[in-house]
């Protein structure tokens, strides 16, 4: 199942790992590897990146951050190839992402001696950025004919488990997901509560919004680290958050309900 119908596909600047993700998924399709195994693998890559940041090996840190992003594209591809969609995998993927985001920034905070509270502010900003991207992207996917609707626009209750997973695991991960993402979702929904009523978003707009995708955020970090700009990573993401209001303004101005 494709995430989007052909006419709704756009250049996703955060999805540069998709080609390798598809390649890796195809190599694993006839093995006992599951999408959750791949999710665990990108978690390991993220932890290795953190180790290299602490060691001051910023080029290697950037490499493993990008590797984490690339592997992250493979779990969903493997689920589609094996036709084994999973809410367990989806929520686990998201929970791992937010934990690693927090650890990345706190490690950068420690090494660069940046203010803890500025780092918390940058973390909130990164999560709001990603939430805006996901909000618009999920709206598009749910309105795209034949698109992937595993992700819902509004997630108020635990979904019914899909074949191959238990309802208990789905319920537990859904609760964790709502705790760590719920506040960010509510803020973005409040800022643009009518976005889901729009018929569709044009490709150019989604490409612009994709600068807030997790892959692009990690690309920025991976470039800034070996470029000697570690002291500027936290301030950059705080300022980068301002674009949220610009993007929402564009949506409300040009794509009215």
């Amino acid at each position: 199942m494709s995430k989007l119908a052909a006419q709704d596909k756009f250049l996703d600047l955060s999805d540069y790992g998709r080609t390798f993700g598809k390649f890796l998924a195809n190599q694993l399709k006839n093995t006992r590897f599951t999408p959750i195994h791949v999710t665990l693998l990108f978690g390991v890559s993220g932890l290795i990146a953190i180790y290299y940041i602490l060691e001051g090996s910023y080029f290697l840190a950037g490499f493993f951050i990008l590797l984490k992003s690339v592997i992250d594209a493979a779990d969903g591809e493997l689920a589609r190839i094996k036709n084994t969609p999973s809410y367990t995998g989806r929520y686990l993927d998201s929970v791992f992402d937010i934990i690693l985001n927090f650890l990345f920034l706190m490690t950068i905070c420690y090494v660069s001696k940046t203010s803890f509270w500025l780092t918390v502010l940058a973390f909130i900003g990164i999560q709001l950025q990603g939430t805006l991207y996901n909000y618009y992207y999920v709206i598009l996917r749910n309105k795209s004919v034949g698109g992937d609707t595993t992700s819902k626009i509004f997630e108020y209750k635990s979904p019914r488990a899909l074949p191959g997973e238990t309802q208990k695991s789905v319920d537990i991960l859904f609760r964790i997901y709502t705790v760590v993402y719920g506040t960010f979702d509510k803020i973005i929904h409040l800022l643009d509560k009518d976005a889901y009523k729009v018929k569709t978003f044009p490709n150019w707009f989604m490409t612009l919004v994709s600068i807030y995708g997790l892959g692009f955020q990690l690309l920025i970090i991976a470039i800034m680290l070996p470029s000697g700009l570690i002291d500027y990573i936290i301030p950059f993401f705080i300022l980068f958050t301002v674009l949220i209001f610009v993007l929402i303004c564009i949506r409300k101005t040009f794509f009215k309900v």
Side-chain angles (χ1 to χ4, degrees), residues 135-192:
Y135 181 43
Y136 289 158
Y137 191 20
V138 171
I139 289 172
L140 182 63
R141 283 163 61 177
N142 277 264
K143 291 178 179 291
S144 183
V145 177
D148 179 4
T149 58
T150 303
S151 298
K152 304 300 180 184
I153 300 172
F154 301 106
E155 307 219 34
Y156 297 125
K157 63 180 181 179
S158 179
R160 180 171 295 183
L162 295 169
E165 60 183 353
T166 66
Q167 188 62 51
K168 183 177 181 180
S169 65
V170 173
D171 291 343
I172 291 173
L173 283 167
F174 175 77
R175 291 191 194 101
I176 296 173
Y177 174 87
T178 53
V179 167
V180 297
Y181 282 100
T183 300
F184 302 115
D185 287 342
K186 289 176 182 177
I187 291 173
I188 293 300
H189 294 166
L190 181 64
L191 290 174
D192 196 1

Side-chain angles (χ1 to χ4, degrees), residues 88-151:
T88 301
R90 180 190 161 244
Y91 292 134
L92 187 64
D93 184 298
S94 296
V95 170
F96 270 29
D97 278 337
I98 196 171
I99 291 173
L100 285 172
N101 283 353
F102 182 77
L103 292 177
F104 285 149
L105 290 184
M106 285 301 160
T107 304
I108 291 168
C109 169
Y110 173 77
V111 173
S112 64
K113 296 181 173 56
T114 304
S115 162
F116 170 79
W117 293 111
L118 284 179
T119 305
V120 171
L121 188 60
F123 171 72
I124 293 171
I126 279 180
Q127 293 309 128
L128 288 174
Q129 294 164 27
T131 299
L132 181 70
Y133 165 74
N134 288 327
Y135 181 43
Y136 289 158
Y137 191 20
V138 171
I139 289 172
L140 182 63
R141 283 163 61 177
N142 277 264
K143 291 178 179 291
S144 183
V145 177
D148 179 4
T149 58
T150 303
S151 298

Side-chain angles (χ1 to χ4, degrees), residues 40-54 64 68 99-100 103-104 107:
L40 295 173
L41 186 61
F42 86 61
V44 172
S45 182
L47 293 176
I48 294 173
I50 289 169
Y51 168 78
Y52 279 120
I53 294 173
L54 291 171
F64 280 99
K68 178 267 177 191
I99 291 173
L100 285 172
L103 292 177
F104 285 149
T107 304

Side-chain angles (χ1 to χ4, degrees), residues 238-251:
I238 293 173
L239 292 174
F240 200 38
T241 305
V242 175
L243 284 177
I244 286 177
F245 302 99
V246 175
L247 293 170
I248 291 176
C249 183
I250 291 173
R251 201 291 299 165

